[in-house]
């Protein structure tokens, strides 16, 4: 067997597909990602299997669709499956994880990692917050930015660049690479928390982009008809459903771009190190994200949608042995394809219960892949997708409504074709294909005969302040001087 390559998985959180300079964004500065684009293959129709963190990452590490894992939301992952890290570790790989994994319900489960630099989004304790404490920054109670009402308010980081989590992931990656066991190939999964909101970056990155540079959000005519229950629910609890300020939205986009460019700087550092060690061409480098971010498009925010802004992601692969340089592939792909791609590069067999396809085979047309699927939630809030190169079909159980979009290069989803008699045949064919896909896999929960099962509709509160979310950092209730106490503090002790 030929020498097995190293495998470096670089993952961001909530990064849209259209945030890479070399792939057509004229404003964002991404020289590190541009290097991967020039040196490898860009999969330009890549989608997350579920537009939410836990379910998408579960499919990523298991190579199975959400209806197969049973993880369709930020809900517990199956604990009896074998991950990509375990498969490679059993084959002799040194496996290491850095940063946000979002494993549920056991955050600290190793899943085949020999070692981990453990950190998640919250206030800790974890390896990152311990690092801040050692550097005299224990007073920062929300080290990744203030959430709750400030969730989508751009904000400067309370940390200097040298202590920011993005830099920490870059530093820990370089530390692992410099101290690894060189007698074995490695799998390193480095996972950044950003550009997940809050949109906060340290100086000078927070000043890289300015409001006046940023484009306005995409608001096609009658865009409200593209909203699902999940869009309304998410806009409410993230405080974004009571008015629109275009300057704020452009400032938000500038802060989002800044977070990506700071990540890109770490990517460049990692590429430089691998090149200096003569390991760049012997490393399968795969850069992606768990889902996108609506960022004001359609007057919506967050993920939890199968519109391209929320579900389409960057997917860049560099490994000269198997992937052509400076190439693009527009065949539909998914995060379920990462596991078989990693095993294929290591010349290891793919188990029959895995649903992904080796991206190297897709790139050269050797794999039969003409559709991908996606799912968020189940039963009364189930949201389902089937997509080919030509059309995207979506069904929302909570709305009892279908959407059909024609996929046009360079265009976001704009007009629902479902209900137009000119597309009835196409709509019926896509609905039938998705239902048959589920039925063939033994997944009957959303089905009723040859159609979709109807569930009781979820209650959507009329009160405009109902359902808002509190995700404060470490409690500060005990730090107020006498005579002062917050009237609303969800983290206060009940005693």
């Amino acid at each position: 067997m030929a020498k097995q390559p190293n495998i470096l998985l670089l993952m961001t959180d909530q990064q849209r597909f259209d945030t890479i300079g070399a792939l057509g964004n004229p404003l964002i500065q991404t020289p590190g990602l541009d290097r991967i684009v020039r040196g490898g293959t860009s999969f330009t129709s890549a989608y997350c299997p579920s537009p939410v963190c836990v379910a998408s990452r579960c499919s990523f590490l298991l190579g199975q669709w959400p209806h197969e894992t049973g993880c369709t939301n930020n809900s517990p992952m199956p604990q009896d499956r074998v991950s990509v890290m375990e498969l490679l570790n059993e084959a002799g790989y040194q496996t290491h994880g850095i940063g946000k994994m979002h494993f549920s319900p056991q955050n600290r489960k190793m899943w085949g990692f020999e070692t981990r630099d453990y950190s998640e989004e919250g206030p800790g304790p974890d390896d990152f917050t311990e690092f801040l404490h050692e550097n005299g920054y224990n007073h920062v109670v929300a080290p990744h930015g203030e959430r709750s009402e400030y969730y989508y308010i751009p904000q400067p980081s309370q940390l200097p660049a040298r202590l920011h989590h993005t830099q920490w992931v870059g530093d820990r990656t370089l530390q692992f690479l410099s101290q690894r066991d060189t007698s074995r190939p490695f799998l390193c999964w480095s996972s950044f928390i950003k550009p997940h909101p809050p949109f906060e970056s340290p100086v000078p990155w927070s000043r890289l982009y300015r409001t006046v540079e940023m484009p306005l959000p995409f608001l096609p005519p009658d865009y409200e008809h593209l909203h699902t229950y999940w869009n309304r629910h998410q806009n409410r609890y993230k405080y974004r459903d009571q008015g629109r300020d275009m300057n704020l939205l452009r400032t938000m986009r500038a802060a989002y771009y800044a977070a990506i460019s700071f990540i890109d700087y770490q990517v460049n550092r990692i590429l430089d190190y691998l090149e200096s060690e003569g390991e760049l061409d012997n490393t399968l480098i795969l850069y992606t994200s768990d889902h996108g971010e609506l960022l004001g498009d359609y007057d919506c925010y967050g993920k939890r949608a199968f519109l391209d802004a929320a579900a389409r992601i960057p997917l860049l692969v560099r490994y000269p042995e198997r992937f052509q340089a400076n190439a693009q592939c527009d065949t539909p792909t998914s995060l379920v394809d990462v596991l078989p791609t990693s095993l294929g590069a290591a010349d290891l067999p793919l188990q029959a219960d895995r649903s992904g396809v080796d991206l190297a085979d897709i790139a050269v047309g050797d794999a039969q892949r003409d559709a991908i699927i996606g799912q968020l939630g189940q039963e009364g809030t189930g949201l389902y997708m089937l997509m080919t190169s030509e059309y995207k079909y979506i069904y929302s159980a909570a709305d009892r409504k279908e959407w059909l979009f024609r996929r046009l290069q360079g265009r976001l989803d704009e007009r629902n074709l479902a209900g137009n008699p000119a597309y009835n045949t196409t709509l019926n064919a896509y609905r039938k294909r998705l239902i048959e896909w589920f039925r063939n896999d033994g997944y009957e929960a959303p089905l009723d005969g040859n159609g979709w099962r109807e569930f009781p509709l979820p209650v959507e509160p009329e009160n405009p302040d109902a359902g808002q979310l509190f995700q404060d950092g470490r409690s500060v209730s005990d730090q107020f001087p006498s005579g002062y106490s917050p009237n609303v503090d969800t983290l206060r002790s009940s005693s």
Side-chain angles (χ1 to χ4, degrees), residues 132-141 158-160 162-163:
L132 293 182
H133 181 78
E134 292 169 356
N135 282 273
Y137 276 78
N138 191 50
H139 61 282
V140 178
V141 299
Q158 299 176 70
L159 303 170
R162 64 185 175 85
L163 300 181

Side-chain angles (χ1 to χ4, degrees), residues 161 201-209 258:
S201 294
V203 174
W205 300 94
S206 58
R207 301 177 181 178
L208 184 59
Y209 304 99

Side-chain angles (χ1 to χ4, degrees), residues 264-481:
D264 182 83
Y265 173 68
Q266 311 305 324
V267 172
N268 231 342
R269 295 172 66 212
I270 295 165
L271 295 177
D272 283 345
Y273 181 82
L274 290 172
E275 190 169 42
S276 71
E277 294 293 305
E279 292 287 352
L280 183 60
D281 287 348
N282 186 47
T283 302
L284 170 70
I285 300 172
L286 191 147
Y287 181 96
T288 192
S289 193
D290 56 358
H291 48 72
E293 160 64 58
L294 286 154
L295 208 60
D297 290 343
Y298 313 98
D299 203 19
C300 291
Y301 302 82
K303 51 264 190 181
R304 295 179 175 86
F306 282 111
L307 298 168
D308 271 15
R312 192 172 170 189
I313 53 175
L315 181 55
L316 315 177
V317 187
R318 187 192 191 283
Y319 178 41
E321 183 74 19
R322 306 189 77 215
F323 292 89
Q324 183 180 344
N326 203 27
Q328 294 185 24
C329 175
D330 198 43
T331 302
T333 53
S334 170
L335 289 182
V336 300
D337 301 327
V338 172
L339 182 146
T341 302
S342 301
L343 296 182
D347 199 23
L348 297 172
L350 180 65
Q351 304 85 348
D353 64 343
R354 309 301 166 130
S355 298
V357 179
D358 189 332
L359 291 168
D361 293 335
I362 292 177
V364 297
D366 287 347
Q368 297 300 314
R369 158 67 71 72
D370 65 341
I372 57 173
I373 60 173
Q375 179 177 350
L376 171 66
Q378 54 189 334
E379 298 184 347
T381 59
L383 186 68
Y384 309 96
M385 178 196 76
L386 171 75
M387 198 195 77
T388 70
S389 294
E390 295 183 281
Y391 292 95
K392 181 198 297 180
Y393 169 81
I394 300 169
Y395 174 71
S396 170
D399 301 278
R400 298 180 184 173
K401 184 176 177 181
E402 298 172 309
W403 289 262
L404 181 70
F405 298 103
R406 181 86 177 270
R407 299 191 64 229
L408 300 173
Q409 188 172 7
R411 300 279 293 276
L412 292 174
D413 307 306
E414 186 169 347
R415 202 75 172 179
N416 183 17
L417 303 176
N420 187 317
Y423 292 92
N424 278 350
T425 300
T426 302
L427 177 69
N428 292 338
Y430 274 66
R431 180 197 309 116
K432 179 181 178 182
R433 182 170 181 183
L434 181 53
I435 287 173
E436 288 182 346
W437 191 321
F438 285 149
R439 177 165 289 121
N440 290 338
D441 286 348
Y443 183 60
E444 297 279 350
L447 310 182
D448 183 8
N450 294 322
W452 296 108
R453 185 182 301 275
E454 290 191 356
F455 297 92
L457 298 178
V459 176
E460 299 186 49
E462 295 181 4
N463 177 356
D465 283 344
Q468 293 173 337
L469 189 66
F470 288 87
Q471 289 185 321
D472 294 352
R474 197 171 70 238
S475 178
V476 297
S477 296
D478 58 350
Q479 298 178 18
F480 289 97

Side-chain angles (χ1 to χ4, degrees), residues 8-25:
L8 177 63
L9 306 177
L10 300 172
M11 177 176 273
T12 59
D13 195 318
Q14 212 146 317
Q15 183 178 352
R16 296 165 58 114
F17 74 99
D18 54 0
T19 52
I20 299 172
L23 293 181
N25 187 319

